[in-house]
Each structure stands twice: as structure tokens, then as C-alpha cells.
Amino acid sequence: MATLLHTPIDEIAKIRDALRATFKSGVTRPVAWRKHQLYQLARMAQNEAEAFCDALAKDLSKPRVEVMAAEVGPVVERALKSAEQLEEWARPECPEVPGWQKGWKPTLLKAPKGTVLIISPWNYPVILTFQPLIGAIAAGCCAVVKPSEAVPHFSQLIAELLPKYLDPSAYRIVNGAVPEGAQLLDLQWDHIFYTGNGRVARIVAAAAVKHLTPLSLELGGKSPVIVDAAYDMDLAAKRILWGKCNNAGQICVAPDYILVPRTKQDELVRGFEKAYKAFFPDGALGDKVTGVMEGRKDAARKRIEPTVVKDVKDSDSLMEEEIFGPVLAIIPVDDLEEAIAFINARPHPLVLYVFTEDPVAKEKIINETQSGGIVFNDTFQHLAVGELPFSGIGESGYGYQFMKYTYDTFTHLRSSIDMPKEAEPFLQMRYPPHGAEAAQALAGAAYLPIPPSSPPSGRL
Amino acid sequence: MSTPPNPCTLLSMRYLKCVFQPRFSGNQIHATLRNGFRAGKLRSIEARKAQILQLAYLLQDNYERFKQSFASDLGRPSLETAFLELDSTISDCKIAYDRVDRWARTERAPFNINFAAFRPVIRKEPKGVVLSISPFNYPLWLALGPMAPLAAGNAFLIPKYMDSDVVRVVYGAVPETTKLLELPWDHILYTGSGRVAKIVCAAAAKTLSPVSLELGGKSPVVIDPNCDLKTAAKRIMWGKCVNAGQTCVAPDYILVQEDGMDTVVKALKEAHDEFYPSDPAASPDFSHIVNNSHFNRIKGLLDKTSGTIAFGGQTDEAKLFIAPTVVHSVKGEDSLMSEELFGPILPVIPVKNLDEAIKFINDRDHPLALYVFSQDASFKNKVFDNTQSGSAVANDTLVHCALDGLPFGGIGPSGSGYHTQKYTFDMFTHLRASLDSPSWSALSMPAIP
């Protein structure tokens, strides 16, 4: 077990103050400076990939392929892409305005918010620590990162690595547990980006009240899967099981439970058995047992095999909270209405998965449900599309990330105009004393012609 | 078919009567709106446009009535009500009506060869049932302006000219608002003071409701002694006198180099005298203070000042009148610098040089607006590059708020989140990312050892 060196509590405020001073110095402003930091972050992820794999093997027994594919790879890719696109993102925008306002030089400046706090969880520590950091760097902010003490090898590793690659006067790691976290939350930040669960999110949100700090909360919940009777059950099972097995189901967007027509439940279960055998020819626990998915555990190695439970009811223990493990609950329903009602009776999920080719069913589900994201005929895959905004809604959180969305999260849109002297004759009307002519002219908008209409429902 | 039906007139009278609802039931109203949302009442663009038009009708039909009510509530000049509130809100209705199709259209994600086959799109979906708490100072524009939520398809708590399954207004004070805040909202927009904002955020933290805050603070004015002072003084005085300074982005105080202070004060006096050739107390073009509490607050700050009153200073408690007042030679610790003035008092603070002015601003909370009067680009850039503020405005005051296409929002204690038009639409919209994976794709199948 690694010894995680906690940052001394009385150092924490000093670290924040030092970063603030760095921000004020303006050193993070030039785009070239930020690009270099982004390239350094990419270099760190690439050069130290082995060290990351090693740390996560120790902390989570995470397979090397998963670390490289789902964590290190996207960090390198997104740091590079952000660096490439940064000039475009940072460019001031000039909105289209009516001719008479053009002389006011209306401009939208992209200003960094300042010094920000990023709190990351244990399950995908690499990507969930560095993805928000990429956006903060791109935006020109200084940042403190607080990784999870539940992954001590990882957190200790980045405390050692980060200052070798990134400018430590602008980016720092603070390690620790509850006391250190509380101290961080007591301080003023210009934005807090929290990834984790709803219980701690409420603590973070309550702490942020003191300084009216804007927040991003990337939470989770139970992400449902709807399977349509007409869909290929084997293909659905394969894609769902793949999503469930990643990190043994310990991911915010893991397919949590499945709603399937009663008549198709057994066929789906058979599909899971086939897929399991294909993924794990020697059994998931590596012990060459051929009976599948029976919930066998290996406590010594902290392993549970992928398990499917059918005929689950609403009141079941498996429906009490986010499973966050390799157990799939199947709930048989009579029809799509029942599936939709089931989902709507619960908090909005982070993602809704739907397996159907029927456009009418797709439209119905889109219109009658709410979720962070909605993915048809696959699981998990939307995380790979950096161009899509990722966020929850309701209990699953708020605030967007990925690529430009992360950049925007840490950016303040600073509106600007510059009123020419020559505008004065035009502005004259607004000054008192107000004559009748001025009153008439200024009130023009009130008399805009309103188009005829009647509401579709026939009311009012 | 097209003329607004007679009942609208009846409804508008009901709106103008401020009735504290007996047996207030926030839960019931919330449940009604949630059902209205779930029933999909505002899902179609046509339905949203119809409601937006109803709002425009409400304003146009009751134009004179609103002017009268603000005259009696705030002593507000007719033209200010028209220009600042009614017209801008009607104009916002028209803009939303014209553009809601475009705003709500599903977007395709930027092209990425690896995922093009997955048809990635971003849907613009209404967040659900939202709460907007609006203040006294621009009650129409701030209450109804964010009616772009109607454009977003949300069910809203505001005046009843429209379908009451989607839009409701709740009157009340602290007890009613507290009850409302206990419920979960899909977004809360709060406009007002930092003190109350903390109460709103604390409640929102329990329900994980996302919040936008339009707050305020002290918006500084930095004057370059070499600027066109006559024009500057007029524009600053105008910004201060509108609504008797009760504007979140009113120019709060002035920073100017010490040897230029007297000239600035003189120019301000000239502008004042142009606006109010006789006594401002008698002018129909000058508003009064909203209530006794604020009157006493502002008067108290003025009474305690260590600065020198250059002109103005008259007050009349019966009429809630405070004259446009300039106080010069004010120091940083003065009573007038202890809080947002939100009244027609303008302190002038002498500084040694521009660096001191910038430091003065940076030692305080980030303002909602930062005003610089200068024709010199390096002067302007130095101020804007070395400070942070909601907006950065050169050579005028206030007008940036209603500029179509520029977001309005604060930073730090001046607030978070943006609005006006599409920005308000976006505030109340959830970007729901969507993928549709083809059955032939083998992409999602990396080997699992």
C-alpha cells in the first residue's frame, strides 16, 4: 500500500495564494504559453504511460489495455487537439449587430476565470483528473488539482510528475483526505469542477455558497438501458456487456439496469452468455470455470465476475442505488410505455441507452425522457466523441466538458463595447429633459407589429 | 383569429394587483408546472412562439398601465419605463419569436472521421421547470425578459397572460420564496443582491439545482484626464441618474488622477444642469427611491461621508427623493465605498496615477461592469488587461446590456451565468448529446483480455 503524502493543511491556503499571484501576473494569458503547457501535459501522459499503468494496476487492478485506451490515449489526444484549436477558441468574437450599432465595436472577449479547483475521483483517475485540467490550462486559468486518496499510487505519482512537466507556479496537486478537502473548500475559487457522487456534491455545493463560486458537478446515477423487442438480442447483449465490463462497471456511464419486453428476457440472457464466453474464454476470474455469470466473487483479489440478474423488481436491492459494479439487473416490462414510466419515476440519468432501429420509438423516447446524454444502439461510446458536450441533468449533475466545452467552463465571456464620440447626436434623445418627440422615437419598439397567431392547443 | 381575446385585459388587471396569495402552495404550483412540462405543452416551436406572442400582447395592451404603475411604485419617468423596460422586453419577444427555430435546432457535432457513422448530434432540450426570482429595480425587463425560457420550452413561474399550465407568477416575500426554494428546480435564475444569492445557493445545494446569479457590486469608472470630458460627463451622469442609480450596472464611483478631479466635477455639474434645468425634485424625468428602507440606507451612507458634496445632497423622505449628488475627494474607506450605492450618489476618488486606479479596483470584488473613458487605446487596454469584470465598457455606460449578441453576466461576487436572448435560451437549455451506432460497426469492440 503506497503512503500517500498529504499536503500539510497550513500549506494549502499559501498554495492557492501563490497561484492567484501567478494568475495576476498575466503569465498564463498568451496563447503560446498555454499551448506549451498543453503539449507538456501530452508529453507527460505519453512518456509516463507505463508509470500510470503500473500505478493503476496497484490501485485498481485495472487492465493495461483499459488504461491506455480509455485514459492515457484520450488525455494525449485531447491535450493535442485543444492546443491546435486554442487560438480559434481564444479569439475575441464580434457578434452580428444592426448597422447603427456596428460603430460601438461590440466584442466578446474570452477571459480566464482565474484560479480554479478540480476534484477528481478514483475510478478513471487519469482522464477525470486531466480532462478538466486541459480545459483550465486552455482557458488561461491556474489550477489546484485534488485527486482521490482512494488511489494512493496514482495520486502520489502525479504529485511527483506534475511539477516536472507543468509550470508549478500555475498548477499544483494537493493530496489528502477529508481534512485537506475541507480546507480546500473553505477557500475562494473562481470555479470548482467536481466529479464524483451526489452526496459529496451537496457538500461541495454548500461550501461554494460562501464565495458564490460557480460549479460543475459531474455525477452519476443509474443509467438505464431500454431494449426493443425487434432488436438483435445477441448484438445488444454484446454491446451492453462490453459497456458493463469496462472497469468492472465502475464508471459513471455504465449501463446500470435493463428494461426489456418480458417475452424477450430469456433471449437476452442467452445473448449475454454468448458474449461472456466470447470475451472471457477462460472465465472472467481467470479460473477456467465454464458456468457463466453466476455472481462468483474472489474476495482476496477484490473481484466479482460479470453477473446478470433477471426478473428484478423495482423494490430490489439492486435498484436502491447506483450499482457501480459488474452486476446487470434485468427488469422485464410489458411495453415501451412502462419502460418510459419506470425511467421517469426516477432521477434523470447521466445517460440513457436505447437499443432500437424504430424511428418512432426513438422519437418517443427522446421526447418523453430527460437524460444527460442519449445513446442509441451502443453503450459508452459517446465518451469517445470529444466534439459532443458531456454533462448530466438533475441528480446526474450540471456543467459541460470535453474539448471546447471544458474550455468554456473555465472561461468568462467578457462583453465589451467602445462608444464613439460621433454617436452623440444619436444618443441625444436619451438625456433628460425628455420632449414629446424623444418619447415618441424611443418608444418605437413598443409598437412593433405583432404577427397574427393562435396557440396550437386552441386555448387562449 | 389574430386579435388578443378580451380576457387578456382582465388578466392584466389581475397581474397589476399585487396579491399575496392566501394558502400559498408552492408544491401544488410546482406539480402543475411539472405536469405541464411532462405533457409536452411547450415542446413544439409553434406552442412556444404562441406563448411568446402572448407576452408581447400583454405588454403592448397594457403599455400605459405599466407606465402608471411604475410612476406610482418608483416615481419613474414615463420615458424610462418605455425605453428601458417595455420596449426592450417587447423587442426581446420579437427577437425570440424570430429566432427560436434556429436556437432550438439540433446541431450536428463537428466532423470527426472516426465517429461520423455514429451520427453524433447535440439536441437542445428544455431543462424542465425553472424558477426566476426578479428584483424591484427593472421589474418588467428582469422578470419577463428571461421569458426566452419560453423559447427554451420550459414551464415558468411568471405572469398569467399565458397558459397557466406552463407559466405562473408567485407573489410574496421571504416566507413564500423560502418555500419555493425548498423544491427542486431544473434551473434557478436569481437577480438581486449577493446576500440573498447565498441563501438561494444554499437551498440549491440541497437539491443540486443549477443556478445563475445576476448580482451587482460597485462598478467603477476610470477617467483619462485627456479624454473628451464633456461627452464623458454626460454619459456618466446619464448612467447614474437613470432609475435614480438603482441599476446593477450603474456607474458606482469614479477614479481620476488628482489634478484632474476638479475639471471632472465641473463637467459633471454641467451635464447635471443640462438634464435638470430647474430643481430635479420637480422634474418628471427623474425617478425616486423604491422604499423607505433603501432611502434610509442611501441617506445614511451620504450622511456619514468624509468627502465634500460638490452639488446635490437634498433629500425628501415623504417623496423618497434623493437628488443626483456628486461627492468629491472621497477616500477608499469612506462610507460611500462600503457597499454598492444603488442610488443617485456619485463619489469621485482622486488617485495618483493609472496604476493606483487599477490597484484600487483589483483590491475589491470583481465588478459587474467596468467603465473606462479614454480615447487612448493603450490607456483602455491597460485597464482592461489588468482587471477582471463582467463587462468591459469604454466611453459609455449601461448600453452594453441590451446589445443583441453580447452576453450579460458577472464574474466572482458580481455573478455567474449569462443572459439576454440566445444566452438566456442557452441558460435554460440542456445540451443532450446523442449517438446512433450502426449495427455494422466493430469500432466499439476492443479486445478484452
Side-chain angles (χ1 to χ4, degrees):
Chain A
M1 194 64 179
T3 321
L4 179 62
L5 288 171
H6 290 197
T7 307
I9 296 239
D10 50 10
E11 282 293 307
I12 291 175
K14 292 184 194 151
I15 292 172
R16 197 282 312 254
D17 291 346
L19 258 43
R20 255 205 191 155
T22 304
F23 179 76
K24 279 211 165 136
S25 77
V27 72
T28 65
R29 296 305 172 95
V31 168
W33 191 92
R34 304 180 205 177
K35 277 174 88 156
H36 172 64
Q37 297 299 313
L38 288 168
Y39 287 132
Q40 284 292 97
L41 186 61
R43 284 175 193 123
M44 180 180 79
Q46 202 172 79
N47 297 348
E48 312 288 347
E50 280 310 306
F52 283 121
C53 288
D54 199 52
L56 294 188
K58 292 191 179 116
D59 282 333
L60 294 168
S61 302
K62 199 184 268 222
R64 194 177 175 283
V65 167
E66 277 187 36
V67 177
M68 294 303 286
E71 298 229 59
V72 172
V75 170
V76 176
E77 187 184 5
R78 286 170 191 180
L80 291 178
K81 274 185 164 173
S82 297
E84 274 161 44
Q85 296 179 35
L86 183 51
E87 261 179 72
E88 200 192 304
W89 295 348
R91 190 170 301 138
E93 285 173 35
C94 295
E96 265 302 306
V97 295
W100 58 277
Q101 288 178 333
K102 282 193 163 62
W104 302 8
K105 300 209 205 79
T107 313
L108 191 42
L109 304 166
K110 312 297 178 71
K113 280 185 177 174
T115 306
V116 305
L117 174 63
I118 296 169
I119 303 173
S120 59
W122 53 263
N123 63 333
Y124 280 81
V126 178
I127 185 76
L128 293 174
T129 300
F130 295 123
Q131 182 152 262
L133 183 58
I134 288 170
I137 296 172
C141 292
C142 291
V144 163
V145 174
K146 162 70 181 70
S148 171
E149 65 275 23
V151 281
H153 291 89
F154 168 79
S155 298
Q156 186 60 32
L157 176 66
I158 61 171
E160 287 157 23
L161 284 182
L162 208 80
K164 294 188 180 145
Y165 287 87
L166 297 187
D167 187 336
S169 74
Y171 314 106
R172 295 287 295 269
I173 305 286
V174 166
N175 271 322
V178 171
E180 290 78 13
Q183 170 62 15
L184 281 168
L185 289 174
D186 205 44
L187 301 170
Q188 187 275 340
W189 302 96
D190 298 303
H191 195 97
I192 298 178
F193 193 108
Y194 169 76
T195 306
N197 65 65
R199 189 187 59 82
V200 176
R202 283 169 163 82
I203 297 170
V204 173
V209 170
K210 228 185 347 281
H211 304 288
L212 293 176
T213 310
L215 293 173
S216 299
L217 303 176
E218 294 287 348
L219 311 178
K222 296 178 79 61
S223 293
V225 186
I226 298 178
V227 181
D228 177 26
Y231 198 83
D232 176 344
M233 291 296 148
D234 285 353
L235 183 59
K238 191 161 97 169
R239 291 179 173 180
I240 295 169
L241 190 63
W242 173 76
K244 191 59 148 178
C245 288
N246 267 280
N247 206 29
Q250 298 167 112
I251 185 168
C252 52
V253 292
D256 190 279
Y257 65 95
I258 304 171
L259 298 160
V260 68
R262 211 168 292 278
T263 49
K264 289 288 185 173
Q265 187 179 211
D266 288 337
E267 196 182 322
L268 184 63
V269 171
R270 282 196 296 278
F272 279 121
E273 287 171 354
K274 287 182 205 160
Y276 179 99
K277 288 199 172 106
F279 293 172
F280 310 109
D282 294 330
L285 299 182
D287 52 4
K288 294 186 164 41
V289 172
T290 50
V292 298
M293 303 193 301
E294 291 157 357
R296 291 171 310 124
K297 300 170 213 126
D298 179 347
R301 288 187 299 159
K302 290 186 283 188
R303 289 177 146 200
I304 299 175
E305 70 165 347
T307 303
V308 172
V309 184
K310 68 176 209 181
D311 288 320
V312 173
K313 287 193 173 53
D314 180 6
S315 48
D316 197 276
S317 57
L318 291 174
M319 292 308 292
E320 273 168 30
E321 54 180 83
E322 190 175 353
I323 294 176
F324 224 66
V327 182
L328 264 173
I330 304 184
I331 300 174
V333 291
D334 288 323
D335 52 28
L336 185 56
E337 261 74 30
E338 196 187 326
I340 290 175
F342 192 96
I343 290 168
N344 285 342
R346 287 166 172 68
H348 300 326
L350 184 51
V351 61
L352 172 56
Y353 297 113
V354 182
F355 285 84
T356 182
E357 304 278 34
D358 175 5
V360 171
K362 285 181 190 174
E363 201 56 31
K364 185 175 164 76
I365 294 167
I366 288 169
N367 287 335
E368 294 181 20
T369 63
Q370 289 179 269
S371 60
I374 181 163
V375 176
F376 293 100
N377 303 322
D378 210 343
T379 58
F380 214 79
Q381 198 61 35
H382 58 306
L383 292 183
V385 188
E387 292 77 11
L388 284 176
F390 181 85
S391 104
I393 183 172
E395 282 289 325
S396 49
Y398 51 80
Y400 304 102
Q401 62 170 325
F402 287 11
M403 295 300 295
K404 184 169 189 291
Y405 294 96
T406 331
Y407 171 85
D408 287 343
T409 289
F410 291 110
T411 294
H412 170 66
L413 299 180
R414 196 182 192 193
S415 291
S416 165
I417 64 161
D418 193 339
M419 183 66 77
K421 177 181 178 171
E422 294 71 31
E424 204 56 17
F426 173 79
L427 300 173
Q428 191 55 42
M429 281 185 297
R430 71 188 190 188
Y431 304 118
H434 298 131
E437 200 188 316
Q440 182 85 350
L442 285 168
Y447 301 104
L448 284 171
I450 300 176
S453 79
S454 52
S457 65
R459 284 180 64 168
L460 272 176
Chain B
M1 164 193 77
S2 60
T3 52
N6 284 334
C8 289
T9 313
L10 194 59
L11 288 168
S12 70
M13 287 177 71
R14 223 187 293 168
Y15 165 77
L16 290 170
K17 266 195 218 147
C18 187
V19 175
F20 279 49
Q21 295 167 310
R23 266 176 268 138
F24 170 84
S25 171
N27 283 318
Q28 229 170 31
I29 293 176
H30 186 271
T32 304
L33 295 174
R34 188 160 288 291
N35 290 336
F37 177 73
R38 286 260 171 94
K41 293 200 125 193
L42 288 182
R43 195 174 291 144
S44 76
I45 301 295
E46 290 70 35
R48 303 181 198 182
K49 285 170 94 152
Q51 293 300 304
I52 293 169
L53 285 188
Q54 286 298 107
L55 185 59
Y57 284 133
L58 180 161
L59 294 164
Q60 257 190 15
D61 288 349
N62 298 285
Y63 199 75
E64 290 310 315
R65 281 204 173 95
F66 280 123
K67 279 193 193 173
Q68 280 158 31
S69 78
F70 290 136
S72 56
D73 281 341
L74 293 169
R76 180 140 7 105
S78 167
L79 186 69
E80 276 188 15
T81 297
F83 176 52
L84 295 170
E85 292 223 70
L86 289 166
D87 298 0
S88 51
T89 314
I90 293 174
S91 177
D92 282 348
C93 288
K94 180 92 175 47
I95 287 172
Y97 179 87
D98 287 340
R99 297 185 196 168
V100 61
D101 305 63
R102 210 191 319 154
W103 294 346
R105 199 168 296 149
T106 298
E107 267 177 50
R108 288 222 197 102
F111 183 76
N112 179 328
I113 183 76
N114 296 318
F115 298 105
F118 288 67
R119 287 158 285 176
V121 296
I122 304 166
R123 299 184 189 282
K124 310 297 178 69
E125 300 198 346
K127 282 186 178 175
V129 181
V130 306
L131 172 65
S132 174
I133 301 174
S134 59
F136 71 83
N137 61 333
Y138 287 88
L140 257 192
W141 192 56
L142 293 170
L144 305 188
M147 65 1 102
L150 292 175
N154 291 293
F156 212 119
L157 271 188
I158 57 164
K160 201 175 165 180
Y161 216 72
M162 291 149 281
D163 186 342
S164 59
D165 285 344
V166 297
V167 160
R168 297 290 287 268
V169 71
V170 172
Y171 304 113
V174 172
E176 289 78 10
T177 313
T178 306
K179 282 220 92 59
L180 281 178
L181 288 171
E182 283 166 13
L183 302 167
W185 299 96
D186 298 304
H187 201 94
I188 300 176
L189 167 61
Y190 170 73
T191 306
S193 74
R195 189 186 61 82
V196 176
K198 290 182 183 171
I199 299 170
V200 173
C201 286
K206 299 201 181 101
T207 53
L208 293 182
S209 303
V211 180
S212 297
L213 301 173
E214 294 288 347
L215 309 178
K218 295 177 81 59
S219 294
V221 182
V222 182
I223 299 185
D224 177 353
N226 301 322
C227 79
D228 167 10
L229 203 44
K230 183 168 156 63
T231 308
K234 217 155 105 166
R235 293 174 179 180
I236 295 168
M237 235 12 228
W238 174 74
K240 187 57 132 178
C241 291
V242 159
N243 211 25
Q246 298 165 111
T247 311
C248 53
V249 286
D252 191 282
Y253 65 95
I254 293 175
L255 295 161
V256 66
Q257 213 164 294
E258 6 189 51
D259 50 13
M261 190 176 72
D262 290 341
T263 333
V264 164
V265 171
K266 195 154 155 291
L268 291 168
K269 176 91 174 49
E270 277 168 20
H272 168 276
D273 294 345
E274 260 184 58
F275 294 168
Y276 313 108
S278 51
D279 183 7
S283 165
D285 296 328
F286 184 67
S287 295
H288 293 197
I289 307 303
V290 64
N291 57 30
N292 281 96
S293 162
H294 277 284
F295 175 90
N296 290 326
R297 180 187 65 79
I298 299 165
K299 184 168 187 305
L301 295 175
L302 185 60
D303 289 344
K304 293 200 195 77
T305 183
S306 309
T308 310
I309 295 182
F311 61 86
Q314 303 90 340
T315 65
D316 179 342
E317 187 164 2
K319 296 212 181 89
L320 295 178
F321 166 80
I322 297 181
T325 305
V326 167
V327 184
H328 69 77
S329 306
V330 174
K331 291 195 173 58
E333 324 79 59
D334 196 277
S335 56
L336 293 173
M337 293 307 293
S338 63
E339 57 180 83
E340 186 176 357
L341 287 169
F342 225 66
I345 319 284
L346 185 53
V348 183
I349 300 178
V351 290
K352 284 197 187 53
N353 51 35
L354 185 54
D355 285 331
E356 195 182 312
I358 291 173
K359 181 173 187 313
F360 191 97
I361 293 168
N362 285 340
D363 284 344
R364 290 162 173 73
D365 290 340
H366 299 326
L368 186 51
L370 173 52
Y371 298 113
V372 175
F373 283 82
S374 173
Q375 277 69 45
D376 175 354
S378 62
F379 187 100
K380 287 183 269 190
N381 289 336
K382 186 165 182 184
V383 178
F384 293 140
D385 288 348
N386 291 293
T387 56
Q388 290 179 269
S389 60
S391 310
V393 180
N395 296 316
D396 206 348
T397 57
L398 304 194
V399 293
H400 60 294
C401 298
L403 211 121
D404 183 3
L406 280 184
F408 180 83
I411 183 173
S414 53
S416 55
Y418 310 99
H419 70 103
T420 71
Q421 289 144 20
K422 183 166 191 294
Y423 290 96
T424 321
F425 176 90
D426 288 343
M427 181 197 305
F428 293 109
T429 294
H430 173 64
L431 301 181
R432 193 181 194 189
S434 168
L435 275 197
D436 195 336
S437 180
S439 54
W440 48 260
S441 169
L443 193 76
S444 49
M445 300 287 108
I448 298 182

